[in-house]
Coordinates of all heavy atoms in Angstrom, one line a residue:
N1 N -2.7 6.6 -15.0 CA -1.3 7.0 -15.2 C -0.4 6.1 -14.5 O -0.8 5.3 -13.6 CB -1.1 8.5 -14.9 CG -1.2 8.8 -13.4 OD1 -0.8 8.0 -12.6 ND2 -1.6 10.0 -13.1
A2 N 0.9 6.2 -14.7 CA 1.9 5.2 -14.2 C 2.0 5.3 -12.7 O 2.2 4.3 -12.0 CB 3.3 5.5 -14.9
S3 N 2.0 6.5 -12.1 CA 2.2 6.6 -10.7 C 1.0 6.1 -9.9 O 1.2 5.5 -8.9 CB 2.5 8.1 -10.3 OG 1.3 8.9 -10.4
E4 N -0.2 6.2 -10.5 CA -1.4 5.6 -9.9 C -1.3 4.1 -9.9 O -1.6 3.4 -9.0 CB -2.6 6.1 -10.6 CG -3.9 5.7 -9.9 CD -5.2 6.2 -10.6 OE1 -5.1 7.2 -11.4 OE2 -6.2 5.6 -10.3
A5 N -0.9 3.6 -11.1 CA -0.7 2.1 -11.2 C 0.3 1.6 -10.2 O 0.1 0.6 -9.6 CB -0.3 1.8 -12.6
M6 N 1.4 2.4 -10.1 CA 2.5 1.9 -9.1 C 1.9 1.9 -7.7 O 2.2 1.0 -6.9 CB 3.7 2.9 -9.2 CG 4.5 2.8 -10.5 SD 5.1 1.1 -10.8 CE 6.2 0.9 -9.4
G7 N 1.1 2.9 -7.3 CA 0.5 2.9 -6.0 C -0.4 1.8 -5.8 O -0.4 1.1 -4.7
I8 N -1.3 1.5 -6.7 CA -2.2 0.3 -6.6 C -1.4 -1.0 -6.5 O -1.7 -1.9 -5.7 CB -3.2 0.3 -7.8 CG1 -4.1 1.5 -7.7 CG2 -3.9 -1.0 -7.9 CD1 -4.9 1.8 -9.0
M9 N -0.4 -1.1 -7.4 CA 0.4 -2.4 -7.3 C 1.2 -2.5 -6.0 O 1.3 -3.6 -5.5 CB 1.3 -2.4 -8.6 CG 2.0 -3.7 -8.7 SD 0.9 -5.2 -8.8 CE 0.1 -4.9 -10.4
G10 N 1.7 -1.4 -5.5 CA 2.4 -1.4 -4.2 C 1.5 -1.9 -3.1 O 1.9 -2.7 -2.3
A11 N 0.2 -1.5 -3.1 CA -0.7 -1.9 -2.1 C -1.0 -3.4 -2.3 O -1.1 -4.1 -1.3 CB -2.0 -1.1 -2.2
A12 N -1.1 -3.8 -3.6 CA -1.4 -5.3 -3.8 C -0.2 -6.1 -3.3 O -0.4 -7.2 -2.7 CB -1.6 -5.5 -5.3
V13 N 1.0 -5.6 -3.5 CA 2.2 -6.4 -3.0 C 2.2 -6.5 -1.5 O 2.5 -7.5 -0.9 CB 3.5 -5.8 -3.6 CG1 4.7 -6.4 -2.9 CG2 3.6 -6.0 -5.1
L14 N 1.8 -5.4 -0.9 CA 1.8 -5.4 0.6 C 0.7 -6.4 1.1 O 0.9 -7.1 2.1 CB 1.5 -4.0 1.2 CG 2.6 -3.0 1.0 CD1 2.1 -1.6 1.5 CD2 3.8 -3.4 1.8
K15 N -0.4 -6.5 0.4 CA -1.5 -7.4 0.8 C -1.1 -8.8 0.5 O -1.6 -9.8 1.2 CB -2.8 -7.1 0.1 CG -3.6 -6.0 0.7 CD -4.9 -5.8 0.0 CE -5.8 -5.0 0.8 NZ -7.2 -4.9 0.2
G16 N -0.4 -9.1 -0.6 CA -0.1 -10.4 -1.0 C 1.4 -10.6 -1.3 O 1.8 -10.8 -2.5
P17 N 2.3 -10.4 -0.3 CA 3.7 -10.4 -0.6 C 4.3 -11.8 -1.1 O 5.4 -11.9 -1.6 CB 4.3 -10.1 0.8 CG 3.3 -10.5 1.8 CD 2.0 -10.3 1.1
H18 N 3.4 -12.8 -1.0 CA 3.9 -14.1 -1.5 C 3.0 -14.6 -2.7 O 3.1 -15.8 -3.1 CB 3.8 -15.2 -0.4 CG 4.7 -14.8 0.8 ND1 6.0 -14.8 0.8 CD2 4.3 -14.3 2.0 CE1 6.5 -14.4 1.9 NE2 5.5 -14.1 2.7
N19 N 2.2 -13.7 -3.2 CA 1.3 -14.0 -4.3 C 2.2 -13.9 -5.6 O 2.5 -12.7 -6.0 CB 0.1 -13.1 -4.3 CG -0.9 -13.5 -5.4 OD1 -0.5 -13.8 -6.6 ND2 -2.1 -13.4 -5.1
E20 N 2.5 -15.0 -6.2 CA 3.4 -14.9 -7.4 C 2.8 -14.1 -8.6 O 3.6 -13.4 -9.3 CB 3.7 -16.4 -7.9 CG 4.8 -16.4 -8.8 CD 5.3 -17.9 -9.0 OE1 5.7 -18.5 -8.1 OE2 5.2 -18.3 -10.2
V21 N 1.5 -14.2 -8.7 CA 0.9 -13.4 -9.8 C 1.0 -11.9 -9.6 O 1.4 -11.1 -10.5 CB -0.6 -13.8 -10.0 CG1 -1.3 -12.9 -11.0 CG2 -0.7 -15.2 -10.4
V22 N 0.8 -11.5 -8.3 CA 0.9 -10.1 -8.0 C 2.4 -9.6 -8.2 O 2.7 -8.6 -8.7 CB 0.5 -9.8 -6.5 CG1 0.8 -8.4 -6.0 CG2 -1.0 -10.0 -6.4
L23 N 3.3 -10.5 -7.7 CA 4.7 -10.1 -7.8 C 5.2 -10.0 -9.2 O 6.0 -9.1 -9.6 CB 5.6 -11.1 -7.0 CG 5.3 -11.2 -5.5 CD1 6.2 -12.3 -4.9 CD2 5.7 -9.9 -4.9
L24 N 4.7 -10.9 -10.1 CA 5.0 -10.9 -11.5 C 4.5 -9.6 -12.2 O 5.2 -9.0 -12.9 CB 4.5 -12.1 -12.2 CG 4.9 -12.3 -13.6 CD1 6.4 -12.5 -13.8 CD2 4.2 -13.6 -14.2
Y25 N 3.2 -9.3 -11.9 CA 2.7 -8.0 -12.5 C 3.4 -6.8 -12.0 O 3.6 -5.8 -12.7 CB 1.2 -8.0 -12.3 CG 0.4 -8.8 -13.3 CD1 -0.2 -10.0 -13.0 CD2 0.4 -8.4 -14.7 CE1 -0.8 -10.7 -13.9 CE2 -0.3 -9.1 -15.6 CZ -0.9 -10.3 -15.2 OH -1.5 -11.1 -16.2
N26 N 3.8 -6.8 -10.7 CA 4.6 -5.7 -10.2 C 5.9 -5.6 -10.9 O 6.3 -4.5 -11.3 CB 4.8 -5.9 -8.7 CG 5.5 -4.8 -8.1 OD1 5.1 -3.6 -8.1 ND2 6.7 -5.1 -7.5
A27 N 6.6 -6.7 -11.1 CA 7.9 -6.6 -11.8 C 7.7 -6.1 -13.2 O 8.5 -5.3 -13.7 CB 8.5 -8.0 -11.8
K28 N 6.7 -6.6 -13.9 CA 6.4 -6.1 -15.2 C 6.1 -4.7 -15.3 O 6.5 -4.0 -16.2 CB 5.3 -6.9 -15.9 CG 5.6 -8.3 -16.2 CD 4.4 -9.0 -16.9 CE 4.9 -10.3 -17.5 NZ 3.9 -10.8 -18.4
L29 N 5.4 -4.2 -14.3 CA 5.1 -2.7 -14.2 C 6.3 -1.9 -14.0 O 6.5 -0.9 -14.6 CB 4.0 -2.4 -13.2 CG 3.6 -1.0 -13.0 CD1 3.0 -0.4 -14.3 CD2 2.6 -0.9 -11.9
L30 N 7.2 -2.4 -13.1 CA 8.5 -1.7 -12.9 C 9.3 -1.6 -14.2 O 9.8 -0.6 -14.5 CB 9.3 -2.5 -11.8 CG 8.7 -2.3 -10.4 CD1 9.4 -3.4 -9.5 CD2 8.9 -0.9 -9.8
K31 N 9.3 -2.7 -14.9 CA 10.0 -2.7 -16.2 C 9.4 -1.7 -17.2 O 10.1 -1.0 -17.8 CB 10.0 -4.2 -16.8 CG 10.6 -4.3 -18.1 CD 10.4 -5.7 -18.7 CE 10.7 -5.7 -20.2 NZ 10.3 -6.9 -20.8
L32 N 8.0 -1.7 -17.2 CA 7.3 -0.9 -18.2 C 7.6 0.6 -17.9 O 7.7 1.4 -18.8 CB 5.8 -1.1 -18.0 CG 4.9 -0.4 -19.0 CD1 5.1 -0.8 -20.4 CD2 3.5 -0.6 -18.6
V33 N 7.7 1.0 -16.6 CA 8.0 2.4 -16.3 C 9.5 2.7 -16.3 O 9.9 3.8 -15.9 CB 7.3 2.8 -15.0 CG1 5.8 2.7 -15.1 CG2 7.8 2.1 -13.8
G34 N 10.3 1.8 -16.7 CA 11.7 2.1 -16.8 C 12.5 1.9 -15.5 O 13.7 2.3 -15.5
R35 N 12.0 1.3 -14.5 CA 12.7 1.1 -13.2 C 13.3 -0.3 -13.3 O 13.0 -1.2 -12.6 CB 11.7 1.3 -12.1 CG 11.3 2.7 -11.9 CD 10.1 3.0 -11.0 NE 10.3 2.6 -9.7 CZ 9.5 2.8 -8.7 NH1 8.3 3.4 -8.9 NH2 9.7 2.4 -7.4
N36 N 14.3 -0.4 -14.2 CA 14.8 -1.7 -14.6 C 15.6 -2.4 -13.5 O 15.5 -3.6 -13.4 CB 15.7 -1.6 -15.8 CG 14.9 -1.2 -17.1 OD1 13.7 -1.3 -17.1 ND2 15.6 -0.7 -18.1
E37 N 16.3 -1.7 -12.7 CA 17.0 -2.3 -11.6 C 16.1 -2.9 -10.6 O 16.3 -4.0 -10.1 CB 17.9 -1.2 -10.9 CG 19.2 -1.8 -10.3 CD 20.1 -0.7 -9.9 OE1 20.7 0.0 -10.8 OE2 20.3 -0.5 -8.7
E38 N 15.0 -2.2 -10.2 CA 14.0 -2.7 -9.3 C 13.3 -3.9 -10.0 O 12.9 -4.9 -9.3 CB 13.0 -1.6 -9.0 CG 13.6 -0.5 -8.1 CD 12.6 0.6 -7.9 OE1 11.7 0.4 -7.1 OE2 12.8 1.6 -8.6
A39 N 13.0 -3.8 -11.3 CA 12.4 -4.9 -12.0 C 13.2 -6.2 -11.9 O 12.7 -7.3 -11.7 CB 12.1 -4.5 -13.4
Q40 N 14.5 -6.0 -12.1 CA 15.4 -7.2 -12.1 C 15.4 -7.8 -10.7 O 15.3 -9.0 -10.6 CB 16.9 -6.7 -12.4 CG 17.1 -6.5 -13.8 CD 18.5 -6.0 -14.1 OE1 19.4 -6.3 -13.3 NE2 18.8 -5.3 -15.2
K41 N 15.4 -7.0 -9.6 CA 15.3 -7.5 -8.3 C 14.0 -8.3 -8.1 O 14.0 -9.3 -7.4 CB 15.5 -6.4 -7.3 CG 16.9 -5.8 -7.2 CD 16.9 -4.7 -6.1 CE 18.3 -4.0 -6.2 NZ 18.3 -2.9 -5.2
A42 N 12.9 -7.7 -8.6 CA 11.6 -8.3 -8.4 C 11.5 -9.6 -9.1 O 11.0 -10.6 -8.6 CB 10.5 -7.3 -8.9
F43 N 12.0 -9.7 -10.4 CA 12.0 -11.0 -11.1 C 12.9 -12.0 -10.4 O 12.6 -13.2 -10.3 CB 12.5 -10.8 -12.6 CG 11.5 -10.1 -13.4 CD1 11.8 -8.9 -14.1 CD2 10.2 -10.6 -13.6 CE1 10.8 -8.3 -14.9 CE2 9.2 -10.0 -14.4 CZ 9.6 -8.8 -15.0
R44 N 14.1 -11.6 -9.9 CA 14.9 -12.5 -9.1 C 14.2 -13.0 -7.9 O 14.4 -14.2 -7.6 CB 16.2 -11.8 -8.8 CG 17.2 -11.6 -10.0 CD 18.6 -11.2 -9.5 NE 19.4 -11.1 -10.7 CZ 19.8 -9.9 -11.2 NH1 19.4 -8.8 -10.7 NH2 20.6 -9.9 -12.3
K45 N 13.5 -12.2 -7.2 CA 12.8 -12.7 -6.0 C 11.8 -13.8 -6.4 O 11.7 -14.8 -5.7 CB 12.0 -11.5 -5.4 CG 11.3 -11.9 -4.1 CD 10.5 -10.8 -3.5 CE 9.8 -11.1 -2.2 NZ 9.2 -12.4 -2.1
I46 N 11.1 -13.6 -7.5 CA 10.1 -14.6 -8.0 C 10.9 -15.9 -8.3 O 10.4 -17.0 -7.9 CB 9.4 -14.1 -9.2 CG1 8.5 -12.9 -8.9 CG2 8.6 -15.2 -9.9 CD1 8.0 -12.1 -10.1
L47 N 12.0 -15.8 -8.9 CA 12.8 -17.0 -9.3 C 13.4 -17.7 -8.1 O 13.6 -18.9 -8.1 CB 13.9 -16.6 -10.3 CG 13.3 -16.3 -11.7 CD1 14.4 -15.7 -12.6 CD2 12.6 -17.5 -12.4
R48 N 13.7 -16.9 -7.0 CA 14.2 -17.6 -5.8 C 13.1 -18.5 -5.2 O 13.4 -19.6 -4.8 CB 14.6 -16.6 -4.8 CG 16.0 -16.0 -4.9 CD 16.5 -15.3 -3.6 NE 15.6 -14.2 -3.2 CZ 15.6 -13.0 -3.7 NH1 16.6 -12.7 -4.6 NH2 14.8 -12.0 -3.3
D49 N 11.8 -18.0 -5.3 CA 10.7 -18.8 -4.7 C 10.3 -19.9 -5.7 O 9.8 -20.9 -5.3 CB 9.5 -17.8 -4.4 CG 9.9 -16.9 -3.3 OD1 10.8 -17.2 -2.5 OD2 9.2 -15.8 -3.2
D50 N 10.4 -19.6 -7.0 CA 9.9 -20.5 -8.0 C 10.9 -20.5 -9.2 O 10.7 -19.8 -10.2 CB 8.5 -20.2 -8.5 CG 8.0 -21.1 -9.6 OD1 8.7 -22.1 -9.9 OD2 7.0 -20.8 -10.2
P51 N 12.0 -21.3 -9.1 CA 13.0 -21.3 -10.1 C 12.6 -21.7 -11.5 O 13.2 -21.4 -12.5 CB 14.1 -22.3 -9.6 CG 13.8 -22.4 -8.1 CD 12.3 -22.2 -7.9
Q52 N 11.4 -22.3 -11.5 CA 10.9 -22.8 -12.8 C 9.9 -21.8 -13.5 O 9.3 -22.1 -14.5 CB 10.1 -24.1 -12.6 CG 10.9 -25.2 -12.0 CD 12.2 -25.5 -12.8 OE1 12.2 -25.6 -14.0 NE2 13.3 -25.6 -12.0
N53 N 9.8 -20.6 -12.9 CA 8.9 -19.6 -13.5 C 9.5 -19.1 -14.8 O 10.4 -18.3 -14.8 CB 8.6 -18.5 -12.5 CG 7.6 -17.5 -13.0 OD1 7.6 -17.0 -14.1 ND2 6.6 -17.3 -12.1
R54 N 8.9 -19.6 -15.9 CA 9.4 -19.3 -17.2 C 9.3 -17.8 -17.6 O 10.1 -17.2 -18.2 CB 8.7 -20.1 -18.3 CG 9.1 -21.6 -18.2 CD 8.4 -22.3 -19.3 NE 8.7 -23.8 -19.2 CZ 8.3 -24.6 -20.0 NH1 7.5 -24.3 -21.0 NH2 8.6 -25.9 -19.8
E55 N 8.1 -17.2 -17.2 CA 7.9 -15.8 -17.5 C 8.8 -14.9 -16.9 O 9.4 -14.0 -17.5 CB 6.4 -15.5 -17.2 CG 5.9 -14.2 -17.9 CD 4.4 -14.1 -17.8 OE1 3.7 -14.9 -17.2 OE2 4.0 -13.0 -18.3
A56 N 9.1 -15.1 -15.6 CA 10.0 -14.3 -14.8 C 11.4 -14.5 -15.4 O 12.2 -13.5 -15.5 CB 10.0 -14.6 -13.3
R57 N 11.8 -15.7 -15.7 CA 13.1 -16.0 -16.3 C 13.3 -15.3 -17.6 O 14.3 -14.6 -17.9 CB 13.3 -17.5 -16.5 CG 14.7 -17.9 -16.9 CD 14.9 -19.4 -16.9 NE 14.6 -20.0 -15.6 CZ 15.4 -19.9 -14.6 NH1 16.6 -19.3 -14.6 NH2 15.1 -20.5 -13.4
L58 N 12.3 -15.3 -18.5 CA 12.3 -14.6 -19.8 C 12.4 -13.1 -19.6 O 13.3 -12.5 -20.3 CB 11.1 -15.0 -20.6 CG 11.0 -14.2 -22.0 CD1 12.1 -14.6 -22.9 CD2 9.6 -14.6 -22.6
E59 N 11.6 -12.6 -18.8 CA 11.6 -11.1 -18.5 C 13.0 -10.7 -18.0 O 13.5 -9.6 -18.4 CB 10.5 -10.7 -17.6 CG 9.1 -10.9 -18.2 CD 8.8 -9.8 -19.2 OE1 9.5 -8.9 -19.4 OE2 7.7 -10.0 -19.8
L60 N 13.5 -11.5 -17.1 CA 14.9 -11.1 -16.5 C 15.9 -11.2 -17.6 O 16.8 -10.3 -17.7 CB 15.2 -12.0 -15.4 CG 16.5 -11.7 -14.7 CD1 16.6 -10.3 -14.1 CD2 16.8 -12.8 -13.6
R61 N 15.8 -12.2 -18.4 CA 16.8 -12.3 -19.5 C 16.7 -11.1 -20.5 O 17.8 -10.6 -20.9 CB 16.5 -13.6 -20.3 CG 17.6 -13.9 -21.3 CD 17.4 -15.3 -22.0 NE 17.3 -16.4 -21.0 CZ 16.4 -17.3 -21.1 NH1 15.5 -17.3 -22.1 NH2 16.3 -18.2 -20.2
I62 N 15.5 -10.7 -20.8 CA 15.3 -9.5 -21.7 C 15.9 -8.3 -21.0 O 16.6 -7.5 -21.7 CB 13.8 -9.3 -22.0 CG1 13.3 -10.4 -22.9 CG2 13.6 -7.9 -22.6 CD1 11.8 -10.5 -23.0
L63 N 15.7 -8.1 -19.7 CA 16.2 -6.9 -19.0 C 17.7 -7.0 -19.0 O 18.4 -5.9 -19.0 CB 15.7 -6.9 -17.6 CG 14.4 -6.2 -17.4 CD1 13.9 -6.4 -16.0 CD2 14.4 -4.7 -17.7
M64 N 18.3 -8.1 -18.9 CA 19.8 -8.3 -18.9 C 20.4 -8.1 -20.2 O 21.6 -8.2 -20.4 CB 20.1 -9.6 -18.2 CG 19.5 -9.9 -16.9 SD 20.3 -8.8 -15.6 CE 21.9 -9.6 -15.5
G65 N 19.6 -8.0 -21.3 CA 20.1 -7.7 -22.6 C 20.4 -9.0 -23.4 O 21.2 -9.0 -24.3
G66 N 19.7 -10.0 -23.1 CA 20.0 -11.2 -23.8 C 18.9 -12.2 -23.9 O 18.9 -13.1 -24.5

């Protein structure tokens, strides 16, 4: 279920706070469960560290409605 997935992903983020793959999946999960504001922040964090991350840029653009 979603809350279990969020718990697992939260633990993964704590273990690998600079792991771009973990951060990307966390952001996607936030988007999937409708926590769009948090997802936007998560995608922006990825883009601060890696401005060329196409997937994060696309996901953020979708969340922003465009």
